Amino acid sequence: MIMLCGIVWLNNSTLQLSAHSSMTIQRINAAQVDINNINSALQQETSQVRMAASHGLGMKQVNPTQVRFLRAATPTR
């Protein structure tokens, strides 16, 4: 009888653990969906800012390899 109670208790614990694991997986999936939505909105906002800067301010994005730094001339005395 005690052995039967132990088996029932063990099965019950296993089911509870499975249920908690399932809820955790659902929360992770929901969080991933939220992250994807936020990233998508951020990319859209970034694109709009770049377009506004390009059209409104005449700014354009250049390739980083095309950027050259200026050197200051040596001061004369």
Side-chain angles (χ1 to χ4, degrees):
M1 184 67 168
I2 293 175
M3 195 168 175
L4 180 62
C5 290
I7 292 171
V8 170
W9 178 83
L10 185 62
N11 284 339
N12 186 28
S13 298
T14 304
L15 287 173
Q16 286 179 353
L17 181 62
S18 295
H20 287 296
S21 296
S22 177
M23 286 189 298
T24 302
I25 290 171
Q26 288 176 348
R27 288 179 186 163
I28 290 171
N29 290 338
Q32 189 64 45
V33 168
D34 289 343
I35 289 170
N36 290 339
N37 290 339
I38 291 169
N39 283 337
S40 185
L42 181 61
Q43 287 176 355
Q44 184 178 11
E45 186 71 24
T46 301
S47 176
Q48 290 174 355
V49 169
R50 285 184 181 170
M51 287 177 58
S54 175
H55 295 300
L57 302 175
M59 300 174 76
K60 67 177 185 176
Q61 184 132 5
V62 296
N63 188 344
T65 60
Q66 296 173 331
V67 176
R68 301 284 185 255
F69 293 98
L70 299 176
R71 295 183 187 265
T74 55
T76 58
R77 292 184 181 188

